Amino acid sequence: MVQKAKILLVDDRPENLLALEAILSALDQTLVRASSGEEALKALLTDDFAVILLDVQMPGMDGFETAAHIKRRERTRDIPIIFLTAINHGPHHTFRGYAAGAVDYISKPFDPWVLRAKVSVFVELYMKNCQLREQAALLRLQLEGGGHASATKEPAGLLAELSARLAAVEEQAEALSKQLDDDSADAAAVATAAHLERKLTGLRRALDALEPGTGGGAPSLPSQN
């Protein structure tokens, strides 16, 4: 069973959280509520999230300050943040949102279809990254000569299985990249997809180096950051 991605919804108004849940429920992912910046930071200590929808105007720790804390933590700094705001103070205010590390900045009231489409892109990228990490973990087991898989399968058979699994992820990543190009998507989403493709290329090279007759030893694996 494919594990669902978690989406963090941060807003001090319960009615806004309810509206976001209604909009994003069609994505069939796990929606996590936070009614303040402090509560959001607490949730980020234990769970991994595909994307954060963060209200700008909140009492106490506002959205900009919350985002700054998120970006300072190594565990959470790469999570995409979409700012939601009911106020519009012009380009300077928007620039402050991007400077705080947001990948998008949306003014309320927003188009539900547009918001859902933007969130779905980051959820899909997150899922592809999770698949890539799983393939890398299997490859590491083979390289280290340990684990149940290497004990029960011949190396050639395990390599073939890893190659097939990686090919499936490569195909999905390629389709996603084409979709982003066709939809003229956000630059941040396109950059994230390109980063994923680079990691896939590195993992494919590592697998190819293990094929008989290539003379490869134990190649280094691509970083998962």
Side-chain angles (χ1 to χ4, degrees):
M1 181 179 295
V2 178
Q3 187 174 2
K4 293 183 178 182
K6 291 183 178 179
I7 303 170
L8 183 58
L9 313 176
V10 190
D11 199 304
D12 63 297
R13 299 175 67 90
E15 62 270 26
N16 289 344
L17 290 171
L18 188 62
L20 287 173
E21 287 175 338
I23 292 170
L24 300 175
S25 60
L27 298 180
D28 193 28
Q29 304 301 324
T30 301
L31 306 178
V32 178
R33 283 188 176 203
S35 58
S36 66
E38 293 85 355
E39 192 174 330
L41 293 176
K42 186 179 297 185
L44 288 162
L45 287 174
T46 55
D47 291 325
D48 294 324
F49 291 91
V51 62
I52 302 170
L53 274 63
L54 180 57
D55 184 42
V56 170
Q57 199 171 20
M58 295 186 294
M61 184 185 297
D62 66 12
F64 295 130
E65 187 179 353
T66 302
H69 282 288
I70 293 171
K71 292 303 178 182
R72 279 198 292 266
R73 293 178 179 176
E74 184 175 357
R75 174 188 173 92
T76 59
R77 64 188 179 192
D78 294 326
I79 302 176
I81 298 174
I82 298 177
F83 271 137
L84 305 176
T85 178
I87 54 178
N88 186 2
H89 294 309
H92 175 74
H93 196 72
T94 303
F95 174 77
R96 187 182 175 192
Y98 287 116
V103 298
D104 212 336
Y105 193 97
I106 304 177
S107 297
K108 304 173 185 176
F110 42 76
D111 186 329
W113 294 95
V114 171
L115 180 63
R116 187 160 54 238
K118 288 177 180 290
V119 171
S120 68
V121 168
F122 289 107
V123 167
E124 194 164 356
L125 287 170
Y126 173 82
M127 299 299 284
K128 296 298 179 291
N129 270 295
C130 288
Q131 288 179 301
L132 179 58
R133 283 194 293 270
E134 290 174 1
Q135 309 315 316
L138 286 172
L139 180 55
R140 283 190 177 91
L141 283 177
Q142 170 62 23
L143 292 176
E144 293 166 3
H148 178 69
S150 61
T152 57
K153 289 189 177 184
E154 291 295 327
L158 181 59
L159 283 176
E161 180 181 332
L162 286 171
S163 182
R165 291 189 181 190
L166 180 57
V169 179
E170 288 172 330
E171 183 178 350
Q172 293 170 350
E174 183 179 359
L176 178 59
S177 295
K178 289 181 179 178
Q179 176 186 334
L180 290 175
D181 291 338
D182 294 340
D183 295 343
S184 300
D186 299 333
V190 174
T192 303
H195 181 57
L196 174 61
E197 287 192 336
R198 287 195 295 272
K199 291 194 291 184
L200 284 169
T201 299
L203 190 53
R204 171 59 67 186
R205 286 174 179 167
L207 265 179
D208 289 345
L210 291 173
E211 291 292 336
T214 60
S220 59
L221 293 176
S223 170
Q224 296 305 303
N225 295 327

